[in-house]
């Protein structure tokens, strides 16, 4: 691999500084959710989509809104409800009485960052309307493919599946999400910090008043992605990623393991994390750091394992402990 030119290295460093500044900006609105913030930044670098799961009231939507306010990208929001139709997301043909012709009216999916709020509160038919957009980055209406803007990222929030009024996402759609980030309840200290901010006048609906401002734009993302693409991966690291994913397919606790798409995703997120931490090569710790959010939604527990209290995270953690680490 050829050495980067001084100009390329400077662009890479500038882009890294901008993306690191995203964390500071988001922290002005959201307290104590650093892993989720990092996951969103990794997804931006990998051109991947993110699923955020947590109980109501833990700032999932605020987290995505703060990200949108910190990046100079067009953003739209869709509240997923039981009566939402696919055309409400993708757009539809509308009859124009003046021209006596049908014209396409774009849906909210035509944006850079789509916030799909409570995506699992709408039926599977409407959920699946996002499949083509997420995978092909286009929408086909009446046989005509219509490309989506670049960059395009879906950040979807969902309540835990055991909550009433939720529809589990189909496996095919879950697999389209690069990362599944869990947003836990805050610690006591963080919750006191949240209350203090509100007592001092913080308004989650007015992020500009909280001081959140754009610190990165499309040019920074393009430079960052170009730099991530140059992060080197040794044969040993590639083998390590494959061994982890193959181990999920052989686990007695699972009915479904991670597919080759999952292995590709894990390598992609590990490269992004390596670049964010200032390296141009991947080490095993990068793979370990992103294994849970990249794989937890791509595996399926056996019912008997679930009854015994086994979780997707515990299975992946056990696999990471047993798969030999390359030296």
């Amino acid at each position: 691999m050829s050495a980067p030119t001084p100009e390329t290295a400077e662009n890479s460093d500038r882009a890294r500084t901008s993306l690191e500044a995203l964390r500071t900006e988001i922290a002005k609105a959201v307290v104590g959710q650093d892993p989720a913030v990092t996951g969103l930044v990794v997804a931006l670098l990998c051109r991947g989509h993110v699923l955020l799961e947590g109980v109501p009231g833990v700032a999932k939507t605020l987290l995505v809104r703060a990200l949108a306010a910190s990046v100079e990208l067009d953003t739209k929001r869709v509240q997923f409800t039981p009566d939402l139709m696919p055309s409400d997301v993708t757009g539809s043909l509308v009859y124009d009485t003046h021209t006596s012709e049908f014209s396409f009216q774009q849906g909210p999916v035509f944006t850079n960052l789509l916030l799909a709020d409570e995506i699992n509160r709408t039926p599977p038919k409407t959920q699946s309307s996002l499949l083509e957009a997420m995978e092909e980055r286009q929408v086909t209406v009446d046989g005509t493919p219509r490309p989506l803007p670049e960059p395009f990222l879906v950040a979807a929030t969902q309540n835990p599946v055991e909550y009433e009024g939720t529809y589990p996402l189909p496996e095919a759609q879950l697999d389209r999400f690069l990362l599944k980030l869990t947003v836990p309840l805050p610690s006591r200290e963080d919750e006191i910090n949240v209350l203090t901010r509100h007592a001092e006048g913080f308004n989650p609906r007015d992020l500009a008043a909280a001081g959140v401002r754009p610190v990165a734009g499309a040019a920074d993302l393009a430079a960052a992605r170009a730099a991530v693409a140059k992060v080197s991966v040794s044969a040993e690291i590639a083998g390590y990623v494959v061994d982890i994913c193959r181990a999920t397919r052989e686990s007695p606790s699972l009915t479904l393991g991670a597919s080759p798409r999952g292995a590709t995703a894990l390598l992609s997120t590990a490269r992004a994390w390596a670049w964010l931490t200032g390296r141009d090569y991947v080490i095993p710790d990068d793979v370990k750091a992103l294994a849970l959010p990249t794989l937890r939604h791509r595996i399926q527990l056996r019912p008997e394992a679930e009854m015994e209290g086994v979780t997707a995270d515990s299975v992946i953690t056990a696999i990471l402990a047993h798969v030999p680490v390359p030296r």
Side-chain angles (χ1 to χ4, degrees), residues 99-121:
T99 61
S100 299
E101 293 179 350
F102 285 94
S103 61
F104 179 66
Q105 183 173 321
Q106 293 184 350
V109 75
F110 285 85
T111 187
N112 297 126
L113 176 59
L114 177 68
L115 170 54
D117 224 350
E118 296 188 300
I119 191 173
N120 62 337
R121 288 200 179 277

Side-chain angles (χ1 to χ4, degrees), residues 1 12 45-47 221-233 267-268 270-275 279-282:
M1 182 180 293
S12 175
L45 290 173
C46 299
R47 299 178 75 242
L221 281 179
R225 287 169 176 170
V228 170
K230 294 176 182 175
V231 172
S232 63
V233 179
L267 186 60
S268 176
R271 291 176 84 187
W273 178 242
W275 179 79
R279 277 179 283 101
D280 61 357
Y281 57 92
V282 179

